[in-house]
């Protein structure tokens, strides 16, 4: 493993992109690959390479990852563990994924900083908003672990909150579906995909983009959302460049 390092951001020629600062969120399940549990190193490497490609365009990148590949809330209730404790376990799971992601990114020469919403100073920096912004300005990918640090909030909400706090231009939600449809494309072959949709239409039609807390946070703070298929190589960079056919843009 290489020693983490720093590079000067202006080493790269900044290219014209639709978004200059992004917050990419993906679920812990995305890291499963073909496994039933844990982290598939091939998937981890793939995601790190996708992030590196946008980072090299000069885009400032924040990352939030879920923890469902390691621990799911439903497991907690089945085991008789209460909601708050289960959420604490889920937040720790996100931090495990975040550490893995940090290592993989640094192994391919992407400088990173990891900040945790739950203090555990031996492992990660605490989340400090102004420090996170400074890291982004210095050209480090910042990974935000441990959700919001509070039970009852999803990682989507953590991602929305961090995106707003670091003044990202957009939140990119990487999923296994290629956007938002008028009905579930995995159940209805005639489902129609939206290239763009407004926040009010999503509310009116009752579409499931993120949980309502996360979605409302974005709406109230004028933060656009792009939902896209993160499993297709090159999609992330195309979204950042503003290619409209990829994913669905939720806008105002
Ligand atoms: P600049 O001040 O902009 O140079 O940022 P920096 O992150 O390089 O400086 P700092 O000296 O704060 O951090 C050096 C390294 O220690 C980085 O990898 C940080 O992520 C890490 N670090 C800083 N604070 C903590 C902490 O509280 N806990 C842990 N585990 N690591 C920390």
């Amino acid at each position: 493993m290489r020693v983490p390092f720093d590079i000067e951001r202006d080493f790269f020629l900044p290219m014209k992109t639709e978004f200059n600062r992004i917050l990419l969120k993906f679920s812990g399940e995305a890291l499963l690959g073909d496994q039933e549990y844990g982290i598939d190193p091939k998937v981890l490497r793939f995601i790190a390479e996708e992030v590196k490609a946008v980072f090299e365009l000069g885009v400032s990148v924040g990352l939030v990852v879920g923890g469902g590949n390691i621990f799911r809330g439903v497991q907690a209730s089945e085991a008789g563990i209460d909601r708050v404790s289960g959420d604490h376990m889920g937040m720790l799971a996100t931090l495990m994924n975040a550490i893995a992601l940090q290592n993989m990114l640094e192994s391919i020469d992407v400088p990173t900083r990891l900040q945790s919403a739950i203090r555990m100073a031996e492992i990660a920096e605490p989340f400090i908003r102004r420090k996170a912004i400074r890291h982004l300005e210095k050209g480090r990918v910042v990974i935000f672990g441990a959700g919001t640090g509070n039970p009852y909030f999803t990682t989507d909400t953590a991602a929305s909150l961090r995106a707003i706090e670091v003044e990202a231009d957009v939140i990119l939600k990487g999923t296994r579906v290629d956007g938002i449809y008028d009905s579930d494309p995995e159940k209805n072959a005639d489902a129609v995909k939206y290239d763009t949709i407004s926040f009010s239409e999503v509310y009116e039609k009752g579409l499931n983009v993120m949980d309502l807390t996360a979605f409302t946070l974005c709406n109230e703070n004028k933060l656009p959302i792009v939902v896209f298929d993160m499993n297709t190589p090159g999609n992330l960079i195309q979204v950042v460049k503003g290619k409209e056919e990829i994913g669905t843009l939720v806008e105002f």
Side-chain angles (χ1 to χ4, degrees):
M1 182 69 64
R2 289 176 61 107
V3 176
F5 72 115
D6 266 327
I7 49 170
E8 288 301 321
R9 173 93 281 191
D10 54 13
F11 169 76
F12 297 116
L13 285 176
M15 288 184 55
K16 200 174 170 333
T17 50
E18 180 74 14
F19 306 113
N20 297 321
R21 178 167 296 167
I22 62 167
L23 190 300
L24 171 66
K25 189 266 163 180
F26 55 94
S27 69
E29 282 88 351
L31 295 172
L32 284 173
D34 300 328
Q35 303 172 180
E36 292 207 343
Y37 178 82
I39 300 169
D40 180 340
K42 292 190 299 301
V43 178
L44 189 64
R45 170 107 197 182
F46 166 75
I47 293 173
E49 297 276 6
E50 294 285 296
V51 169
K52 181 176 181 171
V54 291
F55 169 78
E56 287 187 337
L57 290 179
V59 174
S60 163
V61 184
L63 296 174
V64 169
V65 56
N69 55 323
I70 295 168
F71 188 81
R72 288 193 194 89
V74 60
Q75 280 172 271
S77 56
E78 282 165 6
I81 297 169
D82 66 48
R83 169 72 194 264
V84 172
S85 302
D87 284 355
H88 285 157
M89 293 167 77
M91 287 187 267
L92 295 178
T94 71
L95 205 76
M96 291 169 77
N97 285 334
I99 294 169
L101 195 57
Q102 176 175 45
N103 268 261
M104 185 58 86
L105 282 164
E106 290 189 344
S107 77
I108 58 170
D109 298 346
V110 179
T112 66
R113 292 293 183 267
L114 171 58
Q115 294 199 339
S116 171
I118 296 174
R119 285 180 189 253
M120 44 182 102
E122 287 76 5
I123 297 177
E125 290 179 30
F127 171 69
I128 298 170
R129 173 179 174 259
R130 291 169 72 114
K131 187 108 177 144
I133 292 173
R134 196 76 192 103
H135 287 323
L136 292 168
E137 287 168 352
K138 286 191 172 179
R140 298 156 182 162
V141 169
V142 181
I143 308 165
F144 300 104
T148 65
N150 297 292
Y152 300 104
F153 291 95
T154 61
T155 30
D156 275 355
T157 300
S160 307
L161 179 63
R162 296 297 180 243
I164 294 159
E165 285 179 296
V166 302
E167 294 166 4
D169 302 320
V170 67
I171 177 161
L172 306 181
K173 180 169 166 165
T175 66
R176 56 199 168 96
V177 227
D178 63 347
I180 301 169
Y181 284 76
D182 61 353
S183 57
D184 186 346
E186 291 179 346
K187 292 185 189 142
N188 177 10
D190 298 324
V192 179
K193 174 179 161 284
Y194 298 98
D195 284 344
T196 60
I197 188 166
S198 68
F199 276 80
S200 50
E201 272 180 286
V202 170
Y203 283 119
E204 277 160 26
K205 296 183 198 302
L207 300 172
N208 186 16
V209 179
M210 289 175 165
D211 64 90
L212 277 179
T213 309
F215 191 75
T216 301
L217 208 48
C218 295
N219 183 30
E220 288 181 349
N221 292 281
K222 298 278 173 278
L223 179 71
I225 306 167
V226 177
V227 179
F228 73 106
D229 165 21
M230 208 176 62
N231 297 331
T232 303
N235 262 6
L236 177 61
I237 203 164
Q238 298 295 349
V239 169
V240 169
K241 286 181 175 172
K243 195 163 183 194
E244 283 179 9
E245 311 85 271
I246 299 191
T248 299
L249 170 67
V250 187
E251 60 183 0
F252 296 91

